[in-house]
Amino acid sequence: MHNPMNKERETGLTLNPKYDAHGLVTAVITDSQSKDVLMIGHMNAQALQKTVASDIVHFFSRSRQTLWMKGETSGNFLHVVDIRIDCDQDALWIVAKPAGPTCHTGASSCFYRRVTEDGLEQV
């Protein structure tokens, strides 16, 4: 039997993220111009709220167990263009305009290496 709460979550217009056991949802960030995947991070309710309110992407750091704004130390902010949520509201897709390299390594995207039979190669 289909749960009516799931139907509302899946087809309704109420934001009701389905956070995991750690209170997080996965967020995929893509570049508004190139359409490249820039990075993947995790958001708790506070990070999502701050992202929506400020139009600057915020995440929850699992390693540091703290909220952080992308670009707070580097100045390479991710400016929100659009925020989408998937059908069961357990993942976010954020289209952003980066103000510089997204990756902490200085690469424009965190996905700058390709997996091959021989290992990794630079993209």
Side-chain angles (χ1 to χ4, degrees):
M1 173 134 186
H2 195 71
N3 181 336
M5 183 61 191
N6 284 345
K7 179 140 179 66
E8 174 58 30
R9 179 176 269 144
E10 292 172 0
T11 61
L13 296 178
T14 300
L15 179 63
N16 183 18
K18 188 176 175 183
Y19 297 101
D20 69 12
H22 303 287
L24 302 172
V25 293
T26 301
V28 177
I29 316 302
T30 60
D31 188 303
S32 63
Q33 292 182 324
S34 71
K35 311 300 185 215
D36 289 342
V37 175
L38 297 176
M39 66 177 290
I40 294 177
H42 297 89
M43 293 184 165
N44 62 6
Q46 185 182 17
L48 178 55
Q49 183 275 324
K50 285 187 172 284
T51 297
V52 170
S54 69
D55 285 332
I56 302 287
V57 179
H58 289 69
F59 295 103
F60 183 80
S61 169
R62 295 177 300 168
S63 59
R64 295 179 308 200
Q65 290 291 298
T66 188
L67 189 71
W68 63 284
M69 177 176 54
K70 177 66 180 142
E72 66 189 4
T73 55
S74 67
N76 297 330
F77 299 101
L78 291 171
H79 299 276
V80 174
V81 173
D82 193 17
I83 302 174
R84 308 263 183 111
I85 196 159
D86 76 335
C87 57
D88 56 357
Q89 297 199 42
D90 66 355
L92 294 163
W93 170 25
I94 299 176
V95 179
K97 183 176 180 185
T102 299
C103 187
H104 73 279
T105 65
S108 60
S109 164
C110 292
F111 294 90
Y112 56 88
R113 296 174 291 181
R114 177 176 290 116
V115 178
T116 70
E117 287 185 25
D118 298 324
L120 300 179
E121 70 180 31
Q122 196 83 18
V123 176

